[in-house]
Amino acid sequence: MTTKIVTPKGAPAKAVVKDASMLKQKDMMAAHYDRLTSAPETGEKVASTFVPGNLNELIMCFDLVNNLPEVNAIQNGLRRTSGSFVLEAEKIGHSEDVCTYVKSDIGMMSKGNLAPNGKKFPDPDVLLLSYTGCFTFMKWFELLREQYKCETIMLHTPYMGDGKITPNMIQYMVKQLKEEVIPKLERVSGVKFDIDRLRQYLKQSVKAENDLVWVLQSAKNKPSPIDAYFGGIYYIGPIFGAFRGTEDAVDYYKFLREEVAERVAAGLGPVTPDGDMGKEKYRLVVEGPPNYTSFRQFWKMFYDEGAVVVASSYTKVGGVYDLGFRHDPDNPLETLAEYCLGVYTNRSLPMRIKMLADYIDEYEADGLLINSIKSCNSFSAGQLLMMREIEKKTGKPAAFVESDLVDPRYFSAANIKNRLESYFQMIEQKRASARAA
Amino acid sequence: MLPLGVLGGGDQLEVIHGDAYYQSYICRIPRSTIELGVSGRLDFVDGMLFPSICDVIRNLSGMWKMMFPHVYVRYFDVPQNYRDDIGGNYYVSELAELRDHLAELRGAPITDAELNASIALYNENRRLVRELYALRAEAPWQAPAPEVYLIIRAGMVLPVEEHSAMLRDYIAAAKAEDRPRRDNCRIVLTGAFCEQPPLNLIKSLELSGCYVVDDDLLLVTRWLTADVPTDGDPLRSLALAFLHQSESTAAKYEPNLAEKGQHLVRAVKRSGAEGVIFAAPSFCDPALLDRPMLQHVLKDAGIPFIAFKYAENSGQMQPIREQAGTFADSIKLWSGAA
């Protein structure tokens, strides 16, 4: 089922096509923002935290509402308000060189701190600094702490530099959870920790994770029924955000799976903002986050050419489930530690290279595209080597484009389009050579 | 085993291959370090340890594994939790693993006695570095910042015993010589804890009227702020020293809001500085993200500051000289005017 939505004034005039799961996801996000902005009236307490290393099940054990600054920055990018927020942050002393998520957030705070529903974000009661895979997160919450002067709880996740999770890492994290994170959350919330409640939420997480993996792996079909990057961003929203562990997430992923199963049965490709995609001509694996300020324009450059993304690393920043990890209700704290340790940007470069090369093989992709993000060193540093290594391992061509997360100054549509067109020609040439051989 | 401190390639190295590994918006230190590697200048190195300082250096550890598979490579993560029984235990275990790896590398176990002897040598070295910094804070014309920098930098490539002897000799010579005193202001230089500025930049600061009386250049030599015990479990002693007696810097989490940035205020007071110069490498996330918070603290403390960026190969010093010169003039003319 698809629905046409007429976009508001100021946005492109053409109607945007969304499938039912996207609408359901949008409603969930809207409901969450309403809950969040109503916190001062309802008395609910708010925990700001991050997507990679998101401990949503634990947060729910303390009846806290989760607020994710990266998701807010993304919303501002999609609504094209992030540019002015970034400028505002630079005006008050933040460097032009640093992460634009941070600057969008800081700029938004100085310009009223309004949520997508137009209501003011509540001040957080606690900053849960459970970051993983990115140093910037640590600085980001030190900056927010300076502003809000509220309790800040650090959960340090060691990096998987040697490509493995060691018992020392798990013990370190579990001890932090037991002796630092949980007691402080109890103090802030006034709610006693109940490990059985956590187990119950984790059970729900597993159901949603199973369905999400099924959906992501449906891209192995030809044609792929989903776009696992642009479309994938809609699919990961609930589980990476405020819904992992909830009944709502279980329902959403069941619904999504059924929707995608129907597309597979009908032999359909992905739904794009302009409707069903035409013939699938190119299957790509994408590394790196997208650009959000020109999200639709960026996506259009792909589907206009018949290019579909069959697997992406960005849809693994809030959890790598397709390689087998599931939250384990029998070991609730250990599983939270393992989850944090395993997210994509906490994996060593050799692990990332292997993962992407395997995707190219398993999803029978034509090659790799890297969207390198100016303000995200965690993702970007090393990507040129990754590109070469993956080309070497798979024999498939790779291409490199550059943009930014939410800073519109760094999205050059003409440059990116040129590079993509050249890349598609390269794939055609490779195919022609293979046929001739 | 000789520890070698690699701090990029400096301003004398032409980066030819290294730029092919990095986008333009990434700092210079990883690209010049890669250049050192691919040009064979580090062929004599048996192992590379990458400190947990930022995402770029973290990812460089993985690149090194791919590019130099015959070299022992380890990314060394330090705790951001400072409780003895949490971060301390984690750090001890990480150190124990590192000790085993290094023992394998040299072909013989590393004993506690050897580690304690090494700690004693480094304690002595750190005492001398602190003495040199105290001398410079007291009489910066006697121990100019470029000289102090070079003498400390020599420690990155010398056995610690030789470096300590060099420090002793320099301190004695600096005290003995009668050097002219300029009418300079006194500043703390901060933000330069990773990629090092070119020597010309440090010279330019002094030439423009700023005596550098404290800094975070080559911070590794002053990382531990007090002697580490030499008669106990050496790994536990090192872990506790890191948790409780190590410098504050942008790569470390500061759990206490009231303490954020106070290390800089203390450095200003301790060294009798009149202002702070924030000098961070371009695209340095930790230093540049930290900077606004530190500036707020300085503002509250009534300490003047300026800020600029550099790269290890920055060649044009005129803008920096003008900025630092104006800063020095403003301090001389207006300090105490309020």
Side-chain angles (χ1 to χ4, degrees):
Chain A
M1 186 184 84
T2 56
T3 306
K4 288 198 173 187
I5 301 165
V6 178
T7 50
K9 273 184 187 171
K14 203 171 172 188
V16 176
V17 177
K18 292 192 177 188
D19 51 24
S21 65
M22 287 176 178
L23 295 173
K24 189 174 171 68
Q25 190 257 27
K26 198 178 169 197
D27 289 345
M28 288 167 79
M29 297 290 280
H32 182 69
Y33 274 119
D34 286 342
R35 183 182 167 202
L36 189 56
T37 51
S38 305
E41 294 87 59
T42 61
E44 287 192 293
K45 290 188 174 171
V46 174
S48 285
T49 193
F50 292 113
V51 169
N54 173 356
L55 303 176
N56 202 47
E57 298 90 345
L58 191 67
I59 290 171
M60 291 196 299
C61 287
F62 299 96
D63 298 327
L64 295 163
V65 191
N66 152 335
N67 187 13
L68 298 152
E70 307 116 289
V71 176
N72 301 337
I74 290 169
Q75 292 294 329
N76 288 325
L78 292 168
R79 288 170 167 74
R80 300 186 179 183
T81 52
S82 57
S84 65
F85 295 155
V86 169
L87 286 176
E88 176 68 18
E90 289 177 2
K91 201 169 78 187
I92 57 177
H94 293 267
S95 170
E96 63 272 26
D97 290 354
V98 301
C99 173
T100 50
Y101 273 169
V102 178
K103 286 187 287 188
S104 174
D105 193 35
I106 301 267
M108 180 180 78
M109 281 160 60
S110 15
K111 285 188 151 188
N113 214 15
L114 297 181
N117 61 8
K119 296 179 187 164
K120 193 174 179 304
F121 276 114
D123 287 358
D125 296 284
V126 60
L127 299 168
L128 179 54
L129 179 41
S130 67
Y131 73 104
T132 167
C134 168
F135 266 90
T136 295
F137 287 135
M138 186 170 86
K139 296 286 111 185
W140 190 346
F141 267 19
E142 282 189 348
L143 284 159
L144 293 195
R145 179 182 64 178
E146 187 188 42
Q147 175 79 21
Y148 293 118
K149 297 182 173 52
C150 63
E151 175 93 64
T152 306
I153 308 171
M154 154 69 96
L155 173 67
H156 175 219
T157 303
Y159 181 61
M160 267 210 273
D162 285 338
K164 60 181 188 215
I165 294 173
T166 64
N168 189 36
M169 291 175 178
I170 297 281
Q171 282 159 19
Y172 174 48
M173 292 196 66
V174 168
K175 199 139 179 134
Q176 288 181 78
L177 286 167
K178 274 186 185 166
E179 300 193 20
E180 297 269 352
V181 178
I182 290 171
K184 286 178 181 169
L185 286 174
E186 281 183 328
R187 193 171 67 228
V188 170
S189 65
V191 176
K192 185 102 185 90
F193 176 58
D194 175 357
I195 200 158
D196 290 326
R197 191 174 168 189
L198 176 60
R199 285 197 174 97
Q200 195 52 40
Y201 292 139
L202 292 169
K203 280 182 194 160
Q204 305 273 47
S205 298
V206 176
K207 292 181 198 166
E209 288 158 4
N210 285 336
D211 283 338
L212 170 68
V213 170
W214 187 94
V215 168
L216 293 175
Q217 294 185 338
S218 72
K220 290 180 182 175
N221 287 283
K222 287 185 180 178
S224 169
I226 62 163
D227 185 287
Y229 184 53
F230 298 103
I233 283 155
Y234 290 91
Y235 307 150
I236 58 173
I239 203 161
F240 284 10
F243 294 93
R244 202 183 68 219
T246 65
E247 194 63 48
D248 281 348
V250 175
D251 290 347
Y252 169 77
Y253 285 100
K254 186 167 174 287
F255 181 80
L256 175 65
R257 179 174 175 162
E258 286 165 1
E259 182 183 86
V260 173
E262 282 176 25
R263 298 190 74 78
V264 174
L268 293 172
V271 173
T272 76
D274 287 332
D276 280 336
M277 203 181 93
K279 190 175 181 308
E280 177 184 289
K281 285 168 68 184
Y282 309 107
R283 296 168 63 83
L284 304 178
V285 170
V286 172
E287 149 75 7
N291 165 272
Y292 283 107
T293 51
S294 301
F295 184 79
R296 192 178 156 192
Q297 189 182 9
F298 193 23
W299 189 357
K300 189 171 166 57
M301 291 178 196
F302 287 70
Y303 63 74
D304 276 355
E305 299 287 339
V308 62
V309 181
V310 289
S312 67
S313 55
Y314 185 62
T315 49
K316 314 295 152 43
V317 289
V320 176
Y321 298 109
D322 58 340
L323 299 189
F325 171 80
R326 297 288 183 279
H327 281 91
D328 175 7
D330 292 334
N331 296 290
L333 299 184
E334 290 78 3
T335 203
L336 290 176
E338 199 187 333
Y339 157 75
C340 291
L341 286 158
V343 302
Y344 180 72
T345 48
N346 204 48
R347 291 171 179 248
S348 69
L349 233 64
M351 293 173 87
R352 287 169 60 186
I353 288 169
K354 182 176 183 323
M355 189 170 158
L356 291 166
D358 288 348
Y359 280 162
I360 290 175
D361 290 341
E362 289 165 16
Y363 288 78
E364 297 182 58
D366 294 297
L368 172 76
L369 177 80
I370 295 179
N371 181 39
S372 187
I373 294 294
K374 179 199 170 266
S375 65
C376 183
N377 286 342
S378 174
F379 257 105
S380 300
Q383 280 177 328
L384 285 161
L385 179 72
M386 288 174 73
M387 182 172 77
R388 274 173 238 154
E389 290 291 324
I390 291 165
E391 275 186 324
K392 221 182 335 178
K393 272 178 192 282
T394 63
K396 299 283 173 65
F400 204 86
V401 296
E402 294 179 332
S403 65
D404 191 59
L405 295 162
V406 293
D407 190 339
R409 293 172 296 184
Y410 295 100
F411 185 82
S412 169
N415 281 341
I416 292 174
K417 197 165 191 313
N418 277 344
R419 286 209 186 180
L420 285 177
E421 283 170 359
S422 305
Y423 181 50
F424 297 136
Q425 282 170 14
M426 196 185 349
I427 292 174
E428 290 293 354
Q429 279 170 1
K430 276 253 177 191
R431 284 176 179 168
S433 317
R435 278 196 297 270
Chain B
M1 209 172 266
L2 174 68
L4 167 76
V6 178
L7 294 131
D11 60 347
Q12 303 297 309
L13 180 75
E14 188 185 0
V15 172
I16 299 164
H17 308 286
D19 279 340
Y21 290 86
Y22 286 102
Q23 302 90 317
S24 56
Y25 47 79
I26 288 180
C27 59
R28 173 151 158 127
I29 191 169
R31 58 188 82 227
S32 64
T33 306
I34 291 262
E35 186 72 26
L36 292 173
V38 295
S39 61
R41 289 174 171 90
L42 295 177
D43 280 358
F44 62 93
V45 170
D46 299 298
M48 284 282 277
L49 299 178
F50 292 85
S52 58
I53 194 161
C54 73
D55 296 326
V56 171
I57 297 301
R58 184 197 71 183
N59 288 4
L60 181 60
S61 70
M63 293 173 72
W64 216 267
K65 275 180 194 268
M66 305 289 296
M67 295 173 71
F68 306 100
H70 57 284
V71 174
Y72 167 66
V73 174
R74 186 177 170 90
Y75 172 77
F76 196 80
D77 221 340
V78 292
Q80 301 283 3
N81 173 292
Y82 306 118
R83 266 179 56 173
D84 294 2
D85 59 336
I86 303 179
N89 286 351
Y90 168 74
Y91 197 30
V92 168
S93 294
E94 291 297 297
L95 284 171
E97 199 176 301
L98 178 64
R99 169 158 81 170
D100 290 346
H101 291 177
L102 294 179
E104 208 176 304
L105 202 59
R106 80 161 185 177
I110 298 169
T111 65
D112 283 359
E114 282 179 295
L115 280 175
N116 278 327
S118 180
I119 288 171
L121 290 174
Y122 278 96
N123 278 343
E124 171 66 2
N125 189 264
R126 282 188 290 267
R127 276 197 293 270
L128 288 162
V129 172
R130 285 197 293 272
E131 190 183 331
L132 177 55
Y133 266 61
L135 168 67
R136 185 179 62 171
E138 192 188 323
W141 55 93
Q142 291 295 101
E147 285 182 16
V148 170
Y149 179 76
L150 287 176
I151 206 89
I152 304 270
R153 179 86 189 240
M156 299 295 105
V157 293
L158 285 176
V160 63
E161 304 91 324
E162 284 180 36
H163 186 239
S164 293
M166 187 185 272
L167 283 166
R168 265 190 291 272
D169 290 347
Y170 178 81
I171 291 168
K175 282 179 177 169
E177 197 176 343
D178 193 16
R179 289 172 146 181
R181 179 179 180 167
R182 293 166 196 255
D183 186 26
N184 281 3
C185 73
R186 301 162 61 90
I187 61 100
V188 171
L189 184 69
T190 189
F193 51 84
C194 182
E195 180 176 321
Q196 298 294 284
L199 188 62
N200 268 342
L201 190 149
I202 304 170
K203 285 181 183 167
S204 296
L205 292 179
E206 293 216 339
L207 286 172
S208 59
C210 298
Y211 277 135
V212 179
V213 290
D214 200 358
D215 60 53
D216 59 0
L217 298 160
L218 302 166
L219 192 58
V220 63
T221 58
R222 297 165 325 281
W223 182 242
L224 300 180
T225 55
D227 279 0
V228 180
T230 55
D231 54 355
D233 171 357
L235 302 187
R236 176 64 54 185
S237 302
L238 287 169
L240 295 182
F242 171 76
L243 296 186
H244 307 301
Q245 290 173 320
S246 62
E247 275 294 343
S248 291
T249 188
K252 270 175 76 182
Y253 176 60
E254 173 49 68
N256 179 2
L257 172 61
E259 188 50 32
K260 182 72 193 174
Q262 292 304 319
H263 68 286
L264 205 48
V265 176
R266 283 195 290 272
V268 167
K269 288 184 180 156
R270 186 176 60 231
S271 62
E274 297 158 286
V276 171
I277 292 182
F278 288 89
S282 294
F283 306 109
C284 175
D285 275 345
L288 293 170
L289 284 161
D290 226 28
R291 197 174 66 185
M293 290 182 275
L294 301 181
Q295 290 178 340
H296 294 158
V297 171
L298 292 184
K299 204 171 171 191
D300 290 346
I303 299 167
F305 56 84
I306 56 164
F308 55 75
K309 292 188 292 183
Y310 66 85
E312 63 177 4
N313 63 337
S314 292
Q316 179 54 266
M317 290 302 148
Q318 191 56 27
I320 285 172
R321 206 173 294 167
E322 282 169 10
Q323 202 180 344
T326 309
F327 185 55
D329 290 347
S330 72
I331 286 175
K332 285 284 170 193
L333 289 170
W334 304 112
S335 61

